[in-house]
């Protein structure tokens, strides 16, 4: 992870000194922290970098072929949702971690190895993710309540990849092969 001033030029400087392979950066809602995934010495970790203290903390770690992927912050910045597998080809597990203490909770599993791209609803009380339990992959909503079950939000004739819902809940964007589609929520049918 590097930093470079946007105005006035200046050389880029490395923020995090490590030999880790780093991917999937995600700013916190207030822009003061950066969640990212780091792979180093056979361990893959979800870390958070604090721009004020210039320190990183590890919130979740796994070894082997497993990866925590695609972190996304809750609107209040207190939690991060991400996906991970325990082995290649296994279902993705969708996990919510509390930033303050590292407490984790698995909230769902997806079928197959599709990118779930989990993210919080604008009110922080639900998450959205992509899943393919049947013939066509769709966008799902899961309330973060005990015994909640995922609700399918799309009824399309082709796959939804990496679906994202806007913070205000009014719009949905998703990838279909090399195309990006955008639609108002509640109107995505048969496409």
């Amino acid at each position: 992870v590097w930093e470079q001033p946007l105005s006035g030029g200046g050389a880029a400087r490395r923020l995090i000194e490590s030999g880790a392979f780093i991917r999937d950066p995600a700013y916190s809602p207030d822009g003061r922290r950066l969640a990212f995934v780091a792979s180093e010495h056979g361990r893959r970790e979800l870390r958070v970098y604090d721009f004020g203290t210039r320190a990183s903390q590890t919130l979740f770690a796994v070894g082997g072929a497993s990866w925590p992927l695609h972190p996304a912050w809750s609107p209040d910045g207190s939690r991060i949702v991400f996906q991970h597998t325990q082995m290649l080809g296994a279902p993705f597990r969708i996990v919510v971690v509390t930033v303050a203490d590292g407490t984790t909770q698995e909230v769902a599993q997806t079928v197959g190895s599709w990118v779930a791209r989990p993210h919080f609803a604008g009110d922080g009380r639900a998450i959205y993710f992509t899943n393919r339990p049947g013939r066509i992959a769709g966008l799902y909503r899961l309330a973060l309540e005990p015994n909640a079950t995922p609700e399918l939000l799309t009824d399309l004739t082709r796959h939804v990849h990496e679906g994202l819902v806007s913070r205000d809940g009014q719009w949905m964007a998703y990838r279909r092969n090399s195309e990006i589609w955008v639609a108002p929520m509640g109107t995505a049918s048969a496409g």
Side-chain angles (χ1 to χ4, degrees):
V1 176
W2 293 75
E3 177 182 56
Q4 183 171 14
L6 291 176
S7 62
R13 69 180 185 91
R14 191 177 208 149
L15 289 179
I16 300 166
E17 294 294 334
S18 83
F21 172 72
I22 296 174
R23 61 180 285 172
D24 294 345
Y27 279 105
S28 63
D30 64 8
R32 296 180 182 173
R33 295 171 290 171
L34 184 75
F36 62 93
V37 176
S39 176
E40 189 170 25
H41 306 297
R43 286 178 54 90
R44 290 168 179 112
E45 300 175 340
L46 173 66
R47 298 179 187 172
V48 172
Y49 177 81
D50 185 300
F51 288 98
T53 65
R54 301 214 177 262
S56 294
Q57 78 179 97
T58 297
L59 294 178
F60 183 84
V62 292
S66 181
W67 279 91
L69 296 170
H70 307 294
W73 292 83
S74 63
D76 65 1
S78 68
R79 297 169 292 162
I80 297 172
V81 63
F82 61 95
Q83 69 183 45
H84 87 93
T85 57
Q86 293 189 339
M87 66 182 78
L88 289 175
F92 283 116
R93 299 171 186 280
I94 299 179
V95 178
V96 174
V97 61
T98 303
V99 176
D101 63 11
T103 302
T104 60
Q105 177 187 9
E106 182 179 311
V107 295
Q109 288 188 20
T110 66
V111 178
S113 59
W114 286 61
V115 175
R117 186 73 67 183
H119 57 289
F120 283 91
D123 62 8
R125 297 187 310 203
I127 59 165
Y128 297 102
F129 62 94
T130 305
N131 191 16
R132 185 183 177 183
R135 194 172 68 83
I136 303 293
L139 180 68
Y140 287 78
R141 182 182 185 281
L142 176 67
L144 294 175
E145 300 171 354
N147 304 314
T149 58
E151 168 191 7
L152 177 63
L153 299 178
T154 55
D155 182 18
L156 303 173
T157 59
R158 293 177 59 199
H159 295 299
V160 171
H161 296 272
E162 303 182 56
L164 292 172
V165 176
S166 61
R167 285 277 186 209
D168 65 6
Q170 300 297 308
W171 293 90
M172 174 181 95
Y174 62 96
R175 181 178 63 81
R176 179 178 288 156
N177 296 326
S178 61
E179 302 169 341
I180 302 295
W181 291 64
V182 177
M185 288 294 287
T187 63
S189 63

